[in-house]
Amino acid sequence: MGTESPTLSFPCTSSGTNAGTGRVVFDRYEIGRLLGRGGSAKVYLARDLQSNSHVALKLFSKSSKAPAGTAIAVREISLMRKLRHKHVLRLIEVLASRSKIYLSLELACGGELFTRVESRGRFPEETARKYFRQLISAVRYCHSRGVFHRDLKPENILLDENGDLKIADFGLGALSGGTNPDGLFHTLCGTPAYVAPEVLAKKAYDASKVDVWSCGVILFVLTAGYLPFNHPNLMTMYRKIYRSDFRFPKWISPALRSLICRMLDPNPVTRITVEGVDGITSHPWFLSGIDASEWTSEMRSHEDMFKFEDKSDDEKRALNAFDIISFSAGCDLSPIFDPTVSVRERFFMAEPAETVLKRVEDAVQGEGMRLRSSGEEESKGVLIEGQNGNFVASVEVCCASYGLSMVEVIKGDGSSEKLFWKEKLGPALNRPV
Ligand code: AMP
């Protein structure tokens, strides 16, 4: 998406003018200057008043003038929540008011990769390889989590204070499978110069191959200093893309030429994949200077660094702001995230989790039902089974804050299960039935 800001030249830890003297939102973030503007959101520098650290606050308006904003925000949130990788911008938390959704994002103070290429003309192959490896590590990870970006371009690749790359802007991204029975995508999205021919041709497409194409264009831009497919007439440009009609400048090495040609193969079936013996990560240009096992362990370290973060039990059970807004009346986004929401009921109770679960136990007393402990690591729960092992209901409780619990009930939809809810469980949990 487009941008407004030039290179971000402030240090991340700055507490000077860039830290902002402006308005405070949610008693939590002091908003500073505008960092950039995308198609549906504005991004501001902000200071977290609790930790005094800086973040990027991405602000989507939920106004009727920008109805797509909420959908894009929701998509971005649901995809980013699945990702924890050194080279993917981290979503810290989500806050919402009636009119706005705020994404608090890891701050990338090095600006856009695009600005850096523009100011230098082009990168030497060695520098381009460093960025490209980080990009492919992130893309491989996203694909392995079922997330496809679909709008990769240097403007959506930011740099942190160490000059390491961070993929940003998942507003056009998608989850694997989509809604189509063929598992392929049909949505026309992306930015023309970076978009694969099968997307322009409005054919069903494999989103992983579309990301590979965009990475090929990025690699070309980094090393050539200009776009491979460019023409003032859009139709002419599309024709060039369909035919993969581009020319290498003379300084590009033969090994790099072969990799770019394989990535910009107009046939998605024969186009190179990210992994595999014949994939990008096995290509000689990609592996130059390291062996495959070295690369594999480096790539794994980009993911592993987050796996070992240990939180206290209390922290694990506490809900984050995202969960709170998802479950809040007035800005309930949960139906968009979760299609099964209709059989669920979610509500808050001003009691600790243990008390809520004791109420469930009492309701089951004398009904000939069995209780089994359940619950993921962030919650406590019970599964209620009928006499013949049928599913009656499940109740899961998370601690939202001290003394406040968020309760989620999934109800069985048979007639005896409905009766149990109506006469026993619902009243025990103070629900209107
Ligand atoms: P987006 O809508 O995500 O494409 O963001 C628009 C612009 O805001 C980007 O092109 C960047 O210039 C800037 N921006 C977005 N996120 C961040 C971030 N986390 N840190 C610094 N700048 C950002």
Side-chain angles (χ1 to χ4, degrees):
M1 288 182 193
T3 82
E4 197 171 72
S5 72
T7 315
L8 311 172
S9 53
F10 55 86
C12 285
T13 49
S14 155
S15 57
T17 49
N18 281 312
T21 51
R23 150 178 104 84
V24 172
V25 289
F26 299 97
D27 289 334
R28 186 162 162 91
Y29 292 107
E30 184 188 6
I31 300 201
R33 71 180 177 90
L34 186 71
L35 293 173
R37 196 194 287 264
S40 47
K42 287 181 186 170
V43 182
Y44 293 90
L45 175 67
R47 187 167 64 94
D48 180 337
L49 296 174
Q50 276 167 20
S51 63
N52 207 25
S53 59
H54 289 100
V55 296
L57 214 53
K58 187 166 180 175
L59 198 157
F60 291 86
S61 281
K62 294 202 273 176
S63 81
S64 53
K65 281 188 208 144
T70 305
I72 292 173
V74 166
R75 187 184 309 156
E76 185 152 9
I77 295 162
S78 56
L79 299 183
M80 288 189 91
R81 286 184 89 221
K82 292 180 164 292
L83 308 170
R84 289 299 296 276
H85 189 275
K86 186 180 175 199
H87 299 301
V88 176
L89 208 64
R90 190 160 72 83
L91 175 64
I92 300 165
E93 69 172 339
V94 180
L95 300 152
S97 68
R98 285 202 183 277
S99 59
K100 293 187 181 71
I101 300 174
Y102 299 80
L103 273 59
S104 164
L105 299 163
E106 174 186 10
L107 180 64
C109 0
E112 296 172 15
L113 185 58
F114 180 70
T115 320
R116 225 171 254 203
V117 195
E118 250 191 343
S119 63
R120 296 194 186 179
R122 64 185 156 97
F123 292 130
E125 285 191 22
E126 202 48 51
T127 313
R129 185 165 22 238
K130 178 192 116 177
Y131 289 129
F132 185 68
R133 279 185 189 150
Q134 296 184 350
L135 174 66
I136 291 298
S137 170
V139 168
R140 189 208 70 86
Y141 169 79
C142 292
H143 291 182
S144 74
R145 307 277 297 148
V147 173
F148 305 99
H149 190 286
R150 302 198 301 182
D151 193 23
L152 288 167
K153 54 185 175 177
E155 293 90 323
N156 284 338
I157 296 172
L158 306 180
L159 300 172
D160 69 9
E161 72 272 28
N162 304 316
D164 282 332
L165 170 159
K166 307 271 175 185
I167 297 186
D169 194 3
F170 285 79
L172 291 180
L175 266 180
S176 61
T179 48
N180 304 300
D182 56 7
L184 297 173
F185 292 91
H186 300 255
T187 321
L188 180 63
C189 57
T191 306
Y194 293 86
V195 158
E198 63 272 24
V199 178
L200 291 177
K202 298 188 181 150
K203 290 184 186 159
Y205 58 85
D206 170 344
S208 70
K209 292 294 184 79
V210 165
D211 280 349
V212 166
W213 174 279
S214 306
C215 290
V217 178
I218 291 170
L219 183 55
F220 185 97
V221 172
L222 295 184
T223 49
Y226 56 88
L227 284 163
F229 312 109
N230 202 7
H231 199 277
N233 180 315
L234 210 57
M235 287 323 289
T236 311
M237 183 164 113
Y238 284 3
R239 210 170 312 123
K240 283 171 176 279
I241 294 174
Y242 288 136
R243 295 180 188 156
S244 191
D245 175 8
F246 66 96
R247 294 235 170 110
F248 286 112
K250 59 180 184 320
W251 57 81
I252 305 267
S253 70
L256 179 54
R257 283 172 194 237
S258 93
L259 177 57
I260 292 177
C261 285
R262 300 255 0 249
M263 296 180 79
L264 298 184
D265 179 346
N267 180 353
V269 177
T270 49
R271 190 177 305 149
I272 193 168
T273 50
V274 173
E275 290 191 288
V277 281
D278 199 24
I280 297 171
T281 55
S282 306
H283 192 277
W285 186 84
F286 186 89
L287 283 178
S288 172
I290 48 167
D291 64 36
S293 62
E294 234 177 299
W295 156 250
T296 308
S297 60
E298 186 185 323
M299 192 178 54
R300 297 262 178 260
S301 74
H302 301 157
E303 303 163 22
D304 286 351
M305 61 189 293
F306 296 110
K307 279 197 190 136
F308 304 111
E309 273 183 1
D310 202 16
K311 291 182 182 167
S312 71
D313 278 0
D314 278 355
E315 253 184 284
K316 274 184 186 167
R317 246 175 269 124
L319 290 180
N320 60 27
F322 169 78
D323 294 314
I324 304 264
I325 63 147
S326 299
F327 299 121
S328 296
C331 52
D332 184 6
L333 305 175
S334 54
I336 311 171
F337 288 110
D338 190 348
T340 64
V341 80
S342 56
V343 296
R344 292 174 188 221
E345 193 152 327
R346 288 162 170 164
F347 47 93
F348 286 95
M349 289 182 78
E351 289 175 343
E354 292 72 20
T355 314
V356 177
L357 291 175
K358 178 77 175 58
R359 285 171 173 274
V360 178
E361 258 180 67
D362 291 347
V364 167
Q365 281 286 321
E367 296 292 318
M369 292 174 178
R370 214 155 66 104
L371 280 182
R372 280 206 281 146
S373 282
S374 66
E376 312 265 317
E377 57 172 5
E378 292 183 7
S379 64
K380 292 177 174 177
V382 283
L383 188 69
I384 308 173
E385 281 179 357
Q387 278 167 343
N388 41 17
N390 54 311
F391 173 80
V392 175
S394 76
V395 181
E396 217 156 293
V397 190
C398 298
C399 166
S401 67
Y402 185 73
L404 180 69
S405 297
M406 200 282 294
V407 185
E408 178 183 281
V409 181
I410 302 179
K411 304 174 212 168
D413 62 355
S415 53
S416 59
E417 287 81 13
K418 281 183 181 155
L419 193 67
F420 173 70
W421 167 254
K422 194 169 166 217
E423 294 191 343
K424 297 281 178 178
L425 192 56
L429 298 175
N430 297 334
R431 298 308 292 158
V433 286

